C-alpha cells in the first residue's frame, strides 16, 4: 500500500494536479455561493420578507462552507492521489475525511434543495398538482438524505473501520459487502439527478403560460438552464461510484466525486439566490441603490391622475400670488404598463370655483400595499395578482 519512496512521517502534501484543481474550483464556488446567499439574506431582511426558504438556504450555505473546508483538508492529506504515493497515516486520514465529507455534504444538499422546494411551493400555491409535486420532491430529498447518511454510518462497525482496515484483520471491526456501499452511492446519485431535473421542470411548467414580457421569460429560462447544469455534473460522478467495487486507489477516485458534488451544491446556492439579487441592484426612488424599504417586489413609479390642468393653474396663478391653497389629486403606485382603474373619478372635473388670485399646489399621496407572498412572486418574475 505504501510506496518505497514515501516518507512515513509525512503529513501535509503540497497540492498539485487533481487535488489542486479541487481546491481552486471548490474555493471559487464557495466564494460565489457565500456572496450570493449573503446578499439574498440581506435583501430579504431589509424588505421584511425573510422566510423559511431563506433560513434553509442560509443554513445550507453554512454547512456548504464546512463541506468545502473538509474537501480542501482532505486534498492536503491524500485525497486525489494514488495509494502508492501515500503513507499509512495519509491513507487513513484521507479516507476518514472523505467519510466526514459525505455526512456533511448530504446535510447541506438537503437544506439547499429544501429551500428551493419551499420557494417553488409558495409560488405554485394555487396549483394543487404542482404543490403535491413539490411535496413529493421534498420527500425524495430527505429520504435520500437518510439513506445516505445512515447507510454510511452503519456500513462498518465501528465507523472508523472504513478508514482503518487493520481493524478487520484483527477482528475488532467488520463491514458490510462492498456492493452495499456502491448501492448507497447510486441511490444518492440517482435521487439527486431526479430532484435536480424536477426542480428545473416544475418552474418551467409554471412559466409556460404566464403573462410575462419576453425578456423576463428568457431570463427565467436562462436561470433554469444554469440550474440544470447541476444535474449534468451529478451524472458525471456515476462512473466513479463504481470504483468502490475494486477497492483500489479509492483516495484518487473518490476525489472526482467530491469535485462534482461541490460544484453541484454551489450551483444550487447561486441559482436559487440570483432572483433576489435583482432588488439589490435596483435604484430606489431617490436615486440611491440598494434594497428598497418598500414592500413592493417590483420596480414602481408614481403616476398622477388628472394633474395636467392643475399644473397649468399653478403656473398661471403665480402671476398674482396673494394666497395659497391646496388641491388633492389621486395617485397610484405600480408599474407603468399596468391597466389601473380610477377609484375617485377625474379630479380635473371638480365643480369647485377657481380663484385666479390663489396659488393651487398639487399634493400627491402614494399607497403601496402588497403582501409578503406577492412580494416573493415578484422576485421571480411572476405577475402579481395572477394565479400560477
Amino acid at each position: 500500500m505504501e510506496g518505497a519512496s514515501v516518507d512515513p512521517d509525512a503529513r501535509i502534501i503540497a497540492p498539485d494536479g487533481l487535488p489542486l484543481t479541487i481546491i481552486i474550483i471548490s474555493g471559487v464556488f464557495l466564494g460565489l455561493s457565500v456572496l450570493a446567499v449573503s446578499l439574498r439574506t440581506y435583501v430579504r431582511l431589509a424588505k421584511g420578507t425573510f422566510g423559511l426558504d431563506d433560513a434553509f438556504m442560509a443554513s445550507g450555505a453554512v454547512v456548504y462552507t464546512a463541506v468545502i473546508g473538509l474537501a480542501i483538508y482532505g486534498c492536503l492529506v491524500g485525497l486525489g492521489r494514488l495509494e502508492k504515493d501515500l503513507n499509512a497515516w495519509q491513507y487513513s486520514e484521507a479516507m476518514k475525511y472523505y467519510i466526514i465529507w459525505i455526512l456533511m455534504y448530504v446535510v447541506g444538499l438537503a437544506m439547499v434543495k429544501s429551500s428551493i422546494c419551499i420557494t417553488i411551493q409558495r409560488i405554485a400555491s394555487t396549483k394543487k398538482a404542482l404543490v403535491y409535486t413539490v411535496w413529493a420532491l421534498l420527500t425524495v430529498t430527505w429520504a435520500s438524505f437518510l439513506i445516505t447518511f445512515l447507510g454510511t454510518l452503519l456500513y462498518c462497525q465501528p465507523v472508523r473501520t472504513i478508514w482503518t482496515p487493520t481493524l478487520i484483520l484483527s477482528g475488532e471491526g467488520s463491514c458490510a459487502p462492498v456492493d452495499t456501499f456502491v448501492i448507497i452511492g447510486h441511490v444518492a446519485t440517482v435521487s439527486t439527478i431526479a430532484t435536480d431535473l424536477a426542480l428545473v421542470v416544475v418552474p418551467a411548467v409554471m412559466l409556460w403560460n404566464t403573462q410575462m414580457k419576453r425578456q423576463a421569460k428568457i431570463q427565467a429560462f436562462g436561470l433554469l438552464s444554469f440550474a440544470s447544469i447541476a444535474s449534468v455534473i451529478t451524472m458525471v460522478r456515476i462512473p466513479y461510484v463504481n470504483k468502490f467495487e475494486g477497492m483500489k486507489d479509492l483516495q484518487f477516485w473518490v476525489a472526482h466525486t467530491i469535485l462534482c458534488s461541490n460544484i453541484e451544491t454551489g450551483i444550487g446556492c447561486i441559482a436559487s439566490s440570483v432572483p433576489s439579487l435583482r432588488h439589490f441592484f435596483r435604484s430606489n426612488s431617490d436615486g440611491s441603490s440598494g434594497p428598497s424599504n418598500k414592500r413592493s417586489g417590483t420596480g414602481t413609479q408614481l403616476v398622477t391622475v388628472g394633474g395636467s390642468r392643475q399644473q397649468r393653474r399653478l403656473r398661471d396663478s403665480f402671476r398674482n400670488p396673494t394666497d395659497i391653497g391646496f388641491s388633492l389629486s389621486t395617485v397610484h403606485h405600480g408599474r407603468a404598463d399596468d391597466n389601473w382603474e380610477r377609484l375617485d373619478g377625474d379630479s380635473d372635473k371638480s365643480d369647485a370655483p377657481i380663484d385666479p388670485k390663489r396659488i393651487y399646489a398639487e399634493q400627491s399621496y402614494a399607497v403601496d400595499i402588497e403582501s409578503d407572498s406577492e412580494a416573493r412572486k415578484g422576485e421571480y418574475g411572476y405577475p402579481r395578482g395572477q394565479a400560477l
Side-chain angles (χ1 to χ4, degrees):
M1 180 175 63
E2 182 177 319
S5 60
V6 177
D7 182 2
D9 297 323
R11 294 295 181 262
I12 301 300
I13 306 174
D16 58 4
L18 178 60
L20 181 60
T21 301
I22 294 174
I23 291 174
I24 293 176
I25 294 179
S26 298
V28 169
F29 272 94
L30 174 63
L32 294 176
S33 299
V34 170
L35 177 62
V37 175
S38 297
L39 291 177
R40 166 186 174 152
T41 302
Y42 170 70
V43 169
R44 292 289 177 83
L45 289 174
K47 291 169 62 64
T49 56
F50 189 87
L52 182 60
D53 54 340
D54 304 302
F56 266 112
M57 183 56 67
S59 301
V62 172
V63 177
Y64 181 56
T65 302
V67 168
I68 298 300
L70 291 169
I72 292 176
Y73 178 77
C75 290
L76 295 177
V77 297
L79 286 177
R81 300 184 181 276
L82 301 176
E83 290 181 5
K84 65 183 182 63
D85 298 324
L86 305 173
N87 58 34
W89 183 88
Q90 292 168 341
Y91 176 95
S92 176
E93 193 77 355
M95 288 303 297
K96 178 173 71 174
Y97 276 87
Y98 169 66
I99 297 302
I100 299 174
W101 172 88
I102 289 179
L103 300 177
M104 295 297 293
Y105 158 73
V106 294
V107 173
L109 184 64
M111 289 184 174
V112 171
K113 288 196 173 183
S114 295
S115 172
I116 299 173
C117 287
I118 293 172
T119 300
I120 296 175
Q121 189 274 337
R122 185 185 56 251
I123 296 174
S125 58
T126 58
K127 296 283 188 179
K128 289 187 178 181
L130 294 178
V131 172
Y132 293 150
T133 301
V134 173
W135 279 113
L137 291 177
L138 271 173
T139 302
V140 172
T141 296
W142 285 99
S144 174
F145 158 75
L146 289 175
I147 292 173
T148 307
F149 191 89
L150 296 179
T152 302
L153 289 178
L154 299 176
Y155 175 65
C156 289
Q157 294 299 319
V159 179
R160 61 191 180 93
T161 306
I162 300 178
W163 60 83
T164 314
T166 55
L167 293 178
I168 297 178
L169 299 177
S170 64
E172 298 178 23
S174 62
C175 292
V178 67
D179 291 341
T180 303
F181 201 83
V182 174
I183 292 174
I184 293 174
H186 281 305
V187 168
T189 301
V190 172
S191 64
T192 299
I193 294 173
T195 51
D196 283 345
L197 291 175
L199 291 175
V200 173
V201 172
V202 173
V205 171
M206 292 191 298
L207 287 171
W208 187 258
N209 293 320
T210 55
Q211 296 177 357
M212 296 171 58
K213 292 182 179 179
R214 177 173 298 179
Q215 182 180 2
K217 279 193 175 184
I218 293 175
Q219 292 174 349
F221 280 112
L223 181 60
L224 293 175
S225 299
F226 174 67
S228 67
I229 297 176
S231 302
V232 178
I233 296 297
T234 306
M235 294 177 188
V236 172
R237 77 185 189 193
I238 293 178
Y240 301 108
V241 175
N242 295 327
K243 295 296 182 179
F244 272 94
E245 296 178 351
M247 296 297 291
K248 179 69 175 176
D249 293 325
L250 290 182
Q251 290 83 353
F252 175 75
W253 297 116
V254 299
H256 296 80
T257 302
I258 290 176
L259 177 60
C260 295
S261 301
N262 288 349
I263 294 175
E264 174 203 3
T265 307
I267 290 176
C269 292
I270 297 169
S272 61
S273 299
V274 166
S276 300
L277 304 189
R278 294 168 51 239
H279 299 278
F280 185 81
F281 298 104
R282 176 174 292 123
S283 298
N284 294 328
S285 57
D286 59 356
S288 61
S289 61
S292 172
N293 290 329
K294 299 176 188 240
R295 300 188 67 81
S296 175
T298 60
T300 58
Q301 65 178 3
L302 288 175
V303 180
T304 304
V305 179
S308 59
R309 182 177 176 184
Q310 293 179 356
Q311 291 171 0
R312 290 194 298 270
R313 293 171 185 167
L314 178 61
R315 183 184 64 248
D316 294 337
S317 60
F318 265 101
R319 300 173 182 173
N320 235 338
T322 58
D323 195 4
I324 296 179
F326 292 93
S327 174
L328 178 64
S329 65
T330 302
V331 301
H332 66 262
H333 206 180
R335 296 189 298 273
D337 56 348
D338 283 340
N339 295 322
W340 294 89
E341 179 181 356
R342 182 177 302 160
L343 300 178
D344 64 342
D346 192 342
S347 59
D348 282 348
K349 296 180 180 179
S350 173
D351 296 330
I354 302 300
D355 188 345
K357 295 183 179 181
R358 301 179 65 189
I359 296 176
Y360 288 82
E362 182 178 345
Q363 184 76 18
S364 298
Y365 293 91
V367 179
D368 188 10
I369 302 175
E370 185 171 17
S371 66
D372 286 350
S373 61
E374 289 175 334
R376 295 295 186 86
K377 290 181 182 179
E379 292 179 2
Y380 294 87
Y382 302 107
R384 291 174 178 76
Q386 177 178 341
L388 297 179

